[in-house]
């Protein structure tokens, strides 16, 4: 009797767990899509602080930032949702250098796919050296 | 510690490390908490702590790009499992209660990462928690599900293998 109860409880808890897991993975995989057309400014800044590229790019309603980058830049690659390379900027294998993302000059606390962008948003992709403090 | 104990530790460390490497394609889904719960219950505090030490060093060297700043925090996060399961939760054997503890262990492990991450990235605790929340949920629920479904059969298998070895000796 106890075993049967335990078995049923395990099944119910498993189903609840799978449902929560599916919802969480859906939200992780879900990318932000623009809610209206507009124009964003994308700036690429190298390790010395020099501006390598400064483009104003138009986007349509429903566009994703990753797609905008892929359509307008060469050598755009992602790994687990992280921007690993764009044009001549490449994240080092040992992460000694990486690409930081700034939104309107503030460091982004979310990944590229979750950045909310509207008309006039400035996205800076800054090549950054990892500093051990 | 006998040669057999060392061999068991080596094999179990390899399993722990291999599953993490094999599951990297799934975001934050891993069997680490489940395996550490199983090892803690079957091998005790000392042997599981050794497995964690070797695993954490390998993890830092291979996936952490030799960034040893995170090593003490990884160790702290994982070592809580054998410590608590061999002290305050020593009598817990139910897979359901262990799976609920798996959620707690996953969250504690995730929250310990707040310290180095906030220190290195200079991001506020609340902002970090908000950005990390979904990843924490995935780790917690994957731990919960794997302990709930795999703990009992693997526990029996573990006992059978250990008992067979004792019989051979």
């Amino acid at each position: 009797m106890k075993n049967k109860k335990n078995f049923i409880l395990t099944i119910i808890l498993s189903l609840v767990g799978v449902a929560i897991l599916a919802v969480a993975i859906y939200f992780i995989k879900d990318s932000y899509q623009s809610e209206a057309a507009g124009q964003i400014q994308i700036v690429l800044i190298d390790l010395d602080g020099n501006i390598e590229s400064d483009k104003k790019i138009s986007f349509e309603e429903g566009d994703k930032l990753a797609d905008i980058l892929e359509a307008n830049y060469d050598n755009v690659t992602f790994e687990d949702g992280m921007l690993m390379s764009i044009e001549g900027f490449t994240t080092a294998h040992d992460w000694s250098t990486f690409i930081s993302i700034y939104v309107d000059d503030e460091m982004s606390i979310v990944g590229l796919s979750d950045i909310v962008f509207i008309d006039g948003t400035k996205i800076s992709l800054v090549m950054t050296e990892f500093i051990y403090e | 510690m006998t040669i057999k104990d060392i061999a068991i530790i080596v094999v179990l460390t390899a399993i722990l490390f291999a599953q993490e490497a094999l599951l990297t394609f799934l975001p934050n889904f891993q069997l680490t908490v489940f395996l550490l719960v199983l090892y803690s219950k079957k091998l005790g505090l000392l042997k599981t702590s050794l497995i964690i030490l070797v695993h954490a060093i390998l993890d830092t060297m291979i996936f952490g790009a030799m960034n040893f700043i995170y090593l003490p925090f990884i160790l702290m996060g994982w070592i809580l499992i054998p410590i608590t399961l061999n002290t305050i939760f020593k009598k817990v054997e139910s897979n359901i209660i262990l799976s609920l503890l798996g959620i707690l262990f996953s969250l504690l492990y995730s929250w310990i990462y707040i310290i180095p991450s906030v220190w290195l990235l200079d991001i506020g605790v609340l902002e970090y928690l908000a950005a990390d929340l979904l990843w924490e949920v995935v780790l917690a629920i994957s731990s919960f599900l794997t302990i709930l479904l795999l703990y009992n059969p693997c526990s029996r298998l573990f006992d059978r293998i250990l008992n067979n070895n004792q019989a051979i000796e």
Side-chain angles (χ1 to χ4, degrees), chain B residues 4 8 42-43 155-169:
Chain B
K4 191 189 100 183
I8 288 172
K42 299 294 159 189
L43 300 176
S155 171
R156 284 194 290 271
L157 181 70
F158 220 100
D159 289 340
R160 209 182 310 153
I161 292 168
L162 289 180
N163 289 339
N164 277 351
N165 281 341
Q166 276 161 6
I168 290 164
E169 282 171 0

Side-chain angles (χ1 to χ4, degrees), chain A residues 59-129:
Chain A
F59 62 86
E60 299 299 323
E61 183 185 338
D63 279 356
K64 295 176 182 176
L65 193 51
D67 297 337
I68 294 171
L69 292 180
E70 281 177 336
N72 290 279
Y73 293 91
D74 292 328
N75 189 32
V76 177
T77 59
F78 297 95
E79 204 175 289
D80 294 331
M82 280 181 287
L83 180 66
M84 300 304 283
S85 70
I86 180 165
E87 298 279 326
F89 295 2
T90 304
T91 295
H93 289 296
D94 62 359
W95 288 86
S96 54
T97 57
F98 59 95
I99 303 166
S100 301
I101 305 168
Y102 289 76
V103 180
D104 292 329
D105 298 322
E106 294 274 335
M107 188 185 247
S108 175
I109 58 160
V110 294
L112 193 88
S113 60
D114 293 321
I115 291 173
V116 174
F117 58 98
I118 54 168
D119 184 38
T121 298
K122 179 185 172 190
I123 309 279
S124 306
L125 304 173
V126 183
M127 205 60 205
T128 308
E129 197 170 2

Side-chain angles (χ1 to χ4, degrees), chain A residues 14-78:
Chain A
S14 302
L15 292 174
V16 172
V18 168
I20 296 171
L21 196 61
V23 170
I25 290 175
Y26 171 79
F27 279 112
I28 284 173
K29 295 274 183 193
D30 191 33
S31 297
Y32 172 78
Q33 294 178 308
S34 60
E35 288 168 1
Q39 198 177 53
I40 50 169
Q41 182 185 5
I42 298 182
V43 185
L44 305 186
I45 300 172
D46 70 12
L47 274 174
D48 300 318
N50 302 316
I51 295 173
E52 290 282 309
S53 160
D54 187 347
K55 284 187 189 177
K56 287 203 166 114
I57 299 168
S58 297
F59 62 86
E60 299 299 323
E61 183 185 338
D63 279 356
K64 295 176 182 176
L65 193 51
D67 297 337
I68 294 171
L69 292 180
E70 281 177 336
N72 290 279
Y73 293 91
D74 292 328
N75 189 32
V76 177
T77 59
F78 297 95

Side-chain angles (χ1 to χ4, degrees), chain B residues 56-93:
Chain B
I57 293 170
L58 280 174
D59 197 15
T60 305
M61 286 169 71
I62 293 167
F63 297 120
M66 305 291 279
N67 184 357
F68 284 95
I69 290 170
Y70 288 98
L71 181 61
F73 300 97
I74 297 173
L75 280 173
M76 260 195 280
W78 289 145
I79 223 134
L80 274 172
I81 298 175
I83 288 176
T84 53
L85 287 181
N86 285 285
T87 52
I88 49 174
F89 301 126
K90 198 173 170 64
K91 287 183 180 167
V92 175
E93 287 298 336

Side-chain angles (χ1 to χ4, degrees), chain B:
Chain B
M1 193 173 290
T2 63
I3 291 175
K4 191 189 100 183
D5 290 333
I6 295 169
I8 288 172
I9 287 171
V10 169
V11 171
L12 295 180
T13 307
I15 292 170
L16 186 65
F17 189 74
Q19 62 80 28
E20 210 170 285
L22 287 170
L23 291 172
T24 47
F25 69 96
L26 291 169
N28 233 23
F29 189 99
Q30 47 181 277
L31 304 174
T32 309
V33 177
F34 155 67
L35 288 173
L36 290 179
V37 166
L38 184 68
Y39 296 172
S40 301
K41 295 303 276 183
K42 299 294 159 189
L43 300 176
L45 177 60
L46 179 67
K47 289 175 193 168
T48 310
S49 301
L50 281 172
I51 291 173
I52 289 170
L53 180 66
V54 177
H55 172 72
I57 293 170
L58 280 174
D59 197 15
T60 305
M61 286 169 71
I62 293 167
F63 297 120
M66 305 291 279
N67 184 357
F68 284 95
I69 290 170
Y70 288 98
L71 181 61
F73 300 97
I74 297 173
L75 280 173
M76 260 195 280
W78 289 145
I79 223 134
L80 274 172
I81 298 175
I83 288 176
T84 53
L85 287 181
N86 285 285
T87 52
I88 49 174
F89 301 126
K90 198 173 170 64
K91 287 183 180 167
V92 175
E93 287 298 336
S94 154
N95 65 325
I96 293 172
I97 297 173
L98 286 172
S99 60
L100 292 171
L101 286 174
I103 294 178
L104 178 71
F105 294 140
S106 303
L107 292 176
L108 288 174
Y109 175 75
S110 303
W111 293 337
I112 281 174
Y113 262 87
I114 292 173
I115 304 163
S117 300
V118 167
W119 167 45
L120 286 175
L121 303 175
D122 202 22
I123 293 170
V125 173
L126 288 178
E127 283 97 335
Y128 180 88
L129 275 173
D132 200 42
L133 181 69
L134 283 173
W135 302 92
E136 290 174 12
V137 170
V138 172
L139 181 65
I141 298 298
S142 64
S143 303
F144 171 78
L145 282 173
T146 49
I147 296 170
L148 187 68
L149 298 171
L150 300 177
Y151 181 78
N152 282 344
C154 289
S155 171
R156 284 194 290 271
L157 181 70
F158 220 100
D159 289 340
R160 209 182 310 153
I161 292 168
L162 289 180
N163 289 339
N164 277 351
N165 281 341
Q166 276 161 6
I168 290 164
E169 282 171 0

